[in-house]
């Protein structure tokens, strides 16, 4: 469903579903922070408190761990959010009219 790393295709390559509705915005980053970065921070603090290592230990363990831990799950989280948006017909409250207009415009451009 991705054209590039986090860039959605316009339609699903399998069933042709239009991804116009998909707008997880900063959701993937938020969930990545909550699920990965938050627990990892505890690990980093624990590492520091228990072993009191020199700073370069954090440079080769904590730092890449936190970066990779936050970046790698982004596309999976985005896929999950787009799927749940579709399943739940999720929209920002009060924006139904705006969405309909934007979609009509986008559809017109496509064809
Ligand atoms: Zn599909």
């Amino acid at each position: 469903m991705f054209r590039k790393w986090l860039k959605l295709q316009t339609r699903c390559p399998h069933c042709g579903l239009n991804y116009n509705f998909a707008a997880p915005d900063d959701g993937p980053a938020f969930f990545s922070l909550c699920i990965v970065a938050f627990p990892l921070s505890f690990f980093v603090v624990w590492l520091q408190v228990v072993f009191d290592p020199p700073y370069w230990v954090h440079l080769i363990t904590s730092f890449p761990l936190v970066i990779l831990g936050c970046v790698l799950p982004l596309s999976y989280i985005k896929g999950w959010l787009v799927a749940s948006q579709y399943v739940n017909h999720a929209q920002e409250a009060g924006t139904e009219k705006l969405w309909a207009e934007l979609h009509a415009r986008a559809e017109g451009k496509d064809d």
Side-chain angles (χ1 to χ4, degrees):
M1 69 193 281
F2 293 102
R3 181 153 39 102
K4 285 187 205 148
W5 181 47
L6 284 176
K7 198 89 184 143
L8 283 176
Q9 297 184 325
T10 45
R11 285 174 189 282
C12 174
H14 301 287
C15 62
L17 173 70
N18 194 325
Y19 284 138
N20 265 344
F21 66 88
D25 300 328
D26 54 359
F30 171 78
F31 282 101
S32 171
L33 281 177
C34 289
I35 297 169
V36 182
F38 198 57
L40 271 180
S41 310
F42 280 104
F43 166 76
V44 173
V45 170
W46 171 82
L47 188 72
Q48 178 62 39
V49 169
V50 172
F51 296 103
D52 195 18
Y55 74 94
W56 58 264
V57 172
H58 284 297
L59 213 62
I60 58 167
T61 57
S62 319
F63 196 63
L65 210 63
V66 171
I67 299 288
L68 286 180
C70 288
V71 166
L72 288 182
L74 279 179
S75 60
Y76 299 99
I77 296 175
K78 182 161 185 173
W80 163 57
L81 287 176
V82 168
S84 55
Q85 261 192 318
Y86 176 70
V87 169
N88 298 308
H89 304 284
Q91 269 178 345
E92 197 174 332
T95 60
E96 294 83 2
K97 206 174 151 230
L98 179 66
W99 273 100
E101 267 174 43
L102 288 174
H103 286 178
R105 221 181 292 165
E107 297 270 294
K109 230 178 264 171
D110 277 359
D111 308 319

